[in-house]
Amino acid sequence: MNGCDFRLLVGLGNPGSKYNKSRHNIGFMALEKLAKEKGVSFKRQKKLYGFLGEINFGNEIIRILLPDTFMNESGKSIRATIDWFNLEAKQVLIILDDMDLPLGKIRLRGKGSSGGHNGLTSIIQHLGTEEFARLRIGIGAPSPIIQERKRLTVSHVLGNFNSEETSLVNDVLNEVLIGLEMMQKLNLVKVCNYLNAYKADIKN
């Protein structure tokens, strides 16, 4: 079969205007950018605990979801959505932030552990499996020193990108959208090879 059989794209983040531009919400940002480019709007679906949109990729309809449960309960929305549309976990792609990756890097994997990410932890608990794809977008760590990093983690992920970072984030999100388009034609291995090799042009 050509292409990846993803029928549901999920962006992770926290609902509410105060979190709109926070690092933790880069998953939301990616799908909001995709929806804007496709001329699609999100509609609140109470039964799915989130905002849902539908995008046409060629002859396929792919649903895009922004849970409004807050990050650490993301799995509740995703479980409800895959049950409603009769999907399998392997047909879901999660887009999220990753503090272990520097800003400007992307990592696509077909499965794996939560890596300590509260959103992924919730999803794994609700789906009962780690067998779903995830696209991690680097946001960088607040410090290379472990104790400092732990102390600053919450303020870092809930803080907004600064003006220099915002330009870089836009470049990265453009690359994410290219990857999502590629997924309709190429298998996961080939898209992984492409996206995982990406390195943003950081201007000094």
Side-chain angles (χ1 to χ4, degrees), residues 164-176:
E164 292 181 2
E165 291 173 331
T166 298
S167 176
L168 182 58
V169 166
N170 192 56
D171 291 342
V172 172
L173 293 182
N174 285 337
E175 195 69 15
V176 169

Side-chain angles (χ1 to χ4, degrees), residues 41-105:
S41 59
F42 290 94
K43 294 182 180 179
R44 176 101 181 5
Q45 299 290 341
K46 188 175 181 179
K47 63 181 177 288
L48 305 181
Y49 310 102
F51 293 84
L52 190 73
E54 292 186 350
I55 288 180
N56 289 313
F57 274 113
N59 295 324
E60 299 289 342
I61 294 178
I62 295 178
R63 293 174 175 89
I64 53 178
L65 175 71
L66 304 179
D68 67 354
T69 53
F70 284 94
M71 182 69 79
N72 61 1
E73 285 291 338
S74 299
K76 180 179 179 181
S77 175
I78 296 163
R79 175 83 261 177
T81 304
I82 67 173
D83 286 349
W84 182 261
F85 291 110
N86 194 28
L87 301 175
E88 299 178 46
K90 65 182 181 181
Q91 293 177 302
V92 178
L93 172 67
I94 309 296
I95 305 173
L96 69 152
D97 62 297
D98 190 335
M99 201 168 62
D100 291 326
L101 287 177
L103 185 63
K105 292 293 290 182

Side-chain angles (χ1 to χ4, degrees), residues 1-196:
M1 183 186 70
N2 292 328
C4 306
D5 187 30
F6 295 135
R7 302 303 174 93
L8 177 66
L9 309 180
V10 183
L12 297 192
N14 288 309
S17 58
K18 67 180 288 187
Y19 299 110
N20 278 351
K21 297 181 180 180
S22 70
R23 295 178 179 89
H24 223 15
N25 273 38
I26 201 165
F28 274 17
M29 294 177 197
L31 289 191
E32 287 166 347
K33 187 176 182 66
L34 175 64
K36 184 176 181 180
E37 290 204 359
K38 297 291 185 179
V40 171
S41 59
F42 290 94
K43 294 182 180 179
R44 176 101 181 5
Q45 299 290 341
K46 188 175 181 179
K47 63 181 177 288
L48 305 181
Y49 310 102
F51 293 84
L52 190 73
E54 292 186 350
I55 288 180
N56 289 313
F57 274 113
N59 295 324
E60 299 289 342
I61 294 178
I62 295 178
R63 293 174 175 89
I64 53 178
L65 175 71
L66 304 179
D68 67 354
T69 53
F70 284 94
M71 182 69 79
N72 61 1
E73 285 291 338
S74 299
K76 180 179 179 181
S77 175
I78 296 163
R79 175 83 261 177
T81 304
I82 67 173
D83 286 349
W84 182 261
F85 291 110
N86 194 28
L87 301 175
E88 299 178 46
K90 65 182 181 181
Q91 293 177 302
V92 178
L93 172 67
I94 309 296
I95 305 173
L96 69 152
D97 62 297
D98 190 335
M99 201 168 62
D100 291 326
L101 287 177
L103 185 63
K105 292 293 290 182
I106 308 168
R107 284 288 180 272
L108 175 63
R109 294 184 64 192
K111 60 182 179 179
S113 67
S114 70
H117 191 283
N118 289 339
L120 285 182
T121 297
S122 173
I123 296 167
I124 291 168
Q125 288 174 345
H126 278 83
L127 300 190
T129 181
E130 298 179 351
E131 302 279 331
F132 57 86
R134 66 287 309 271
L135 176 55
R136 298 175 180 264
I137 304 174
I139 61 169
S143 172
I145 302 170
I146 294 176
Q147 292 303 320
E148 280 289 293
R149 171 177 162 141
K150 288 182 178 178
R151 184 175 65 84
L152 298 172
T153 289
V154 173
S155 60
H156 178 68
V157 299
L158 296 183
N160 293 350
F161 291 106
N162 63 39
S163 57
E164 292 181 2
E165 291 173 331
T166 298
S167 176
L168 182 58
V169 166
N170 192 56
D171 291 342
V172 172
L173 293 182
N174 285 337
E175 195 69 15
V176 169
L177 264 57
I178 290 172
L180 294 178
E181 291 280 356
M182 291 174 65
M183 289 175 192
Q184 309 313 306
K185 301 176 182 178
L186 302 176
N187 64 41
L188 189 63
V189 172
K190 290 182 178 179
V191 183
C192 282
N193 289 341
Y194 175 82
L195 288 178
N196 294 351

